[in-house]
Amino acid sequence: MPQFLIGTYVSTVHPKVAAYMLGEGVPQENVRALDALLPDLVRAEVNRDANIYLLSSPQDEQYPVQVEPFLGLFRNYGNFNFLFSESPFITDHTQVTRRNVPALMGIVNLLADGTPPRLGFVRNGYEEPDRDRSAIDAYLASTSQLKGQETFPSPMVRTPAFNEEVPVSAVRLAGVAPGAVRVSLWENGKFLASPPVTPDGSWSWKADNPWKKGKHLVRLFSVDAQGFHSERTEVSFVVVDAPVMPRGGGAPAGDGAAPTVTVPGVHEQVMDARVVFRGSAPGAAQVGFRENGVLLGGAMVAPDGMWSWDSGWAWGEGAHFVEVFTVTASGAESPATPVPFTVLGFSAGVSSPLSYDGAR
């Protein structure tokens, strides 16, 4: 979609450029000389075998002046191709190329492959943006593997955190995927793994081979028992060459077993602002609690492996996601057990409300 009358174009559309190109005051003889440059080159027919591809549109305001009057100059060129794009999505000169990027890239790829296409005079476009799509939309919806967010939520990633720096030897992805039987993980279009989802909705995966150092972007989706997919989730993190240290400092992380959390239950709806956590962690010395990467507190593990923790504060109304981990006597930290739950609204006028575990 060139301008054949270059002098006229720059003098009327870009006067500052015209003054730079043609001289102060933009003399008309210079405009005429520049206008004749391309038409005279085509008339000379120096190379009639040249592969020429010209694109324009009737919606291009420059077409009647800058393109149409010059099409006849190419009648003796053996591989002159004219694409006339009659698309309703083209509203001015700037939209012609944007609408035809796939066609242009196809031509470029064929030329690069040494196979110049012969198209001749062709028309494209004719889209119908206002047509009734209800039938095809209904068909696609009924046959799609993708379920909407409202019926099948995307998986959540809790480890690693967004843009977290992770030691190369300790990359582990974990989170929750409500309603799923597995999650599917991908990076740069390459399949990584499909770890199973446990009955409580949690999942985790650690690669057999070390990750490359640098930034990574992993995309993942949930898969239910019928094979339907959720919408995608992304997690970005940076792999660094550093010793493995638990978040918040301390000794290097170990391979201890994640604790079992019995209260609150996964996705439990808690009726009170006071939330008591309970569970078991045989062999551990302590249990720690984090939310959004912030250490909340800890509790000692009893000789029988049981533990209980009350934060001592009122939890905010809404969804929470707490990571519970164990710490051994040597300071080694285990993988975290995710505990998603929701604190429901409660009446401030009720005296001595029951705590979550039933105690006053």
Side-chain angles (χ1 to χ4, degrees):
M1 36 176 249
Q3 289 85 27
F4 279 86
L5 303 177
I6 301 174
T8 298
Y9 174 74
V10 295
S11 63
T12 56
V13 180
H14 301 291
K16 292 183 178 180
V17 176
Y20 178 79
M21 293 174 61
L22 304 174
E24 192 65 34
V26 190
Q28 282 302 305
E29 60 269 22
N30 292 350
V31 172
R32 288 191 292 270
L34 194 54
D35 279 348
L37 191 63
L38 276 181
D40 286 351
L41 179 63
V42 177
R43 288 190 188 98
E45 298 181 357
V46 175
N47 182 9
R48 293 184 182 180
D49 296 325
N51 301 310
I52 302 172
Y53 301 89
L54 180 60
L55 167 66
S56 192
S57 169
Q59 284 81 37
D60 182 350
E61 69 278 8
Q62 297 181 27
Y63 172 72
V65 175
Q66 292 284 358
V67 177
E68 186 178 27
F70 305 95
L71 294 177
L73 299 178
F74 295 93
R75 59 183 176 273
N76 293 325
Y77 285 81
N79 193 25
F80 171 69
N81 305 274
F82 180 53
L83 284 73
F84 198 50
S85 192
E86 301 184 80
S87 170
F89 295 111
I90 297 175
T91 57
D92 58 34
H93 177 76
T94 62
Q95 302 294 319
V96 180
T97 299
R98 184 178 302 176
R99 161 59 181 82
N100 288 279
V101 167
L104 295 174
M105 290 304 300
I107 292 172
V108 170
N109 288 331
L110 288 170
L111 290 172
D113 196 40
T115 53
R118 292 181 177 269
L119 306 175
F121 285 70
V122 296
R123 296 172 182 262
N124 71 341
Y126 309 109
E127 297 95 340
E128 299 178 55
D130 299 325
R131 70 186 184 277
D132 181 11
R133 293 179 50 90
S134 57
I136 185 63
D137 288 344
Y139 172 77
L140 292 175
S142 65
T143 57
S144 174
Q145 280 192 297
L146 181 66
K147 284 187 176 180
Q149 185 74 12
E150 66 282 355
T151 57
F152 191 21
S154 303
M156 292 183 287
V157 180
R158 299 304 178 182
T159 301
F162 177 72
N163 282 344
E164 180 181 354
E165 291 189 352
V166 186
V168 68
S169 59
V171 181
R172 174 178 167 272
L173 280 72
V176 292
V181 295
R182 60 185 176 89
V183 293
S184 187
L185 292 84
W186 300 73
E187 184 177 27
N188 298 326
K190 179 182 178 181
F191 174 73
L192 298 179
S194 187
V197 177
T198 62
D200 66 1
S202 62
W203 62 269
S204 66
W205 174 70
K206 188 172 183 179
D208 295 331
N209 300 317
W211 292 69
K212 291 183 180 179
K213 288 180 286 187
K215 190 167 185 177
H216 292 266
L217 178 65
V218 174
R219 294 181 171 90
L220 60 154
F221 57 88
S222 296
V223 182
D224 68 10
Q226 288 73 44
F228 288 102
H229 299 176
S230 72
E231 294 181 2
R232 272 53 174 171
T233 297
E234 294 183 352
V235 55
S236 174
F237 57 93
V238 181
V239 176
V240 296
D241 189 6
V244 182
M245 297 293 290
R247 285 175 287 182
D255 296 323
T260 299
V261 181
T262 56
V263 176
V266 174
H267 301 297
E268 189 81 32
Q269 292 184 332
V270 183
M271 299 298 294
D272 188 11
R274 180 188 171 196
V275 182
V276 176
F277 291 75
R278 287 197 178 93
S280 62
Q286 298 180 59
V287 176
F289 304 84
R290 276 192 296 259
E291 185 172 29
N292 298 325
V294 177
L295 184 65
L296 303 179
M300 299 300 295
V301 178
D304 62 358
M306 306 303 292
W307 57 264
S308 177
W309 180 68
D310 184 348
S311 66
W313 62 72
W315 291 72
E317 183 179 343
H320 292 271
F321 190 99
V322 174
E323 293 177 300
V324 185
F325 58 93
T326 63
V327 181
T328 66
S330 62
E333 181 181 321
S334 76
T337 298
V339 185
F341 63 93
T342 302
V343 175
L344 300 181
F346 57 93
S347 173
V350 178
S351 61
S352 301
L354 287 175
S355 70
Y356 174 74
D357 65 339
R360 290 188 180 271

